[in-house]
């Protein structure tokens, strides 16, 4: 069942990516489309491993920064950019290097929250960003960062203890990235819903 849901999500976001590319070809200055595109790339990065994931996150950052050039006050682009830098930081094993991305993420979350102070998601993202370096240490202490960066599937364990540890580690990984995936998915879905609203009837 979970495999089917992941496959459906992958198909949905791949279709959304192609739609965003086509829209960009027609109007490269559409900040809403650039934001959706960046969000979709961020979602798709979760289906990749290692360098492919990092490359897709960087592509997302590029699109989101392009959206901010068009509209510097686009709070959802700022928020997605915070998520992109957070995701990127968790893939970097060196904590000092990751802190740079965590700092950028916090700045973007703060800017988004300043523009939309009633948005609870932005507030929660800012709170979670403060705990991100601590989570980074835990993830990499348990070897989950190396699993995420591995080019192939993780090696199978030979003992029950290792299997349990991997299971707990996977749960932790999904807990951390889950809120990012859900939130970006909601923003992306709302963006597509807004862009596909039929025009009002003539008066």
């Amino acid at each position: 069942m979970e495999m089917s849901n992941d496959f459906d999500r992958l198909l949905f976001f791949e279709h959304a990516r192609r739609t965003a590319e086509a829209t960009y070809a027609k109007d490269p200055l559409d900040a809403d489309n650039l934001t959706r595109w960046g969000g979709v790339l961020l979602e798709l990065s979760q289906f990749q491993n290692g360098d492919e994931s990092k490359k897709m996150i960087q592509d997302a950052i590029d699109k989101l920064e392009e959206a901010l050039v068009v509209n510097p006050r686009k709070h959802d682009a700022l928020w997605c950019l915070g998520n992109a830098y957070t995701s990127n930081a968790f893939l970097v094993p060196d904590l000092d290097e990751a802190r740079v991305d965590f700092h950028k993420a916090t700045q973007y979350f703060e800017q988004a929250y300043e523009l939309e102070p009633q948005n609870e998601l932005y507030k929660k993202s800012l709170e979670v960003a403060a705990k991100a370096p601590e989570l980074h240490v835990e993830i990499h202490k348990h070897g989950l960062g190396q699993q995420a960066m591995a080019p192939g599937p993780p090696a199978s364990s030979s003992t029950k203890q290792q299997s349990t540890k991997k299971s707990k580690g996977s749960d932790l990984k999904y807990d951390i990235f889950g809120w990012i995936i859900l939130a970006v998915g909601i923003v992306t879905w709302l963006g597509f819903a807004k862009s596909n609203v039929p025009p009002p009837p003539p008066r």
Side-chain angles (χ1 to χ4, degrees), residues 44-59:
L44 288 171
S45 74
Q46 304 302 317
F47 292 95
Q48 307 298 317
N49 284 320
D51 290 338
E52 281 300 310
S53 182
K54 289 184 87 168
K55 182 185 178 315
M56 202 163 273
I57 290 170
Q58 186 57 54
D59 289 347

Side-chain angles (χ1 to χ4, degrees), residues 67-138:
L68 291 173
V69 168
V70 175
N71 181 357
R73 297 184 54 83
K74 186 140 184 57
H75 57 87
D76 50 343
L78 289 164
W79 178 80
C80 282
L81 208 44
N83 284 318
Y85 277 109
T86 300
S87 296
N88 198 53
F90 278 114
L91 295 176
V92 176
D94 180 57
L95 180 59
D96 290 332
E97 193 179 329
R99 282 186 201 274
V100 173
D101 282 344
F102 286 136
H103 180 69
K104 288 179 184 177
T106 300
Q107 289 178 319
Y108 285 118
F109 288 142
E110 285 173 348
Q111 290 175 39
Y113 185 61
E114 285 171 11
L115 291 170
E116 276 286 306
Q118 73 280 9
N119 190 314
E120 287 298 315
L121 186 58
Y122 295 173
K123 181 179 178 183
K124 185 68 176 168
S125 297
L126 198 49
E127 292 168 5
V128 172
K131 300 173 187 172
E134 183 181 318
L135 292 170
H136 181 275
V137 169
E138 286 299 311

Side-chain angles (χ1 to χ4, degrees), residues 1-10 46-47 167 170-171 173-175 181:
M1 181 74 156
E2 185 177 319
M3 181 82 81
S4 174
N5 288 339
D6 284 348
F7 183 70
D8 290 344
R9 285 183 53 231
L10 179 63
Q46 304 302 317
F47 292 95
S167 176
S170 293
D171 290 346
K173 177 182 170 186
Y174 286 114
D175 287 346
I181 294 168

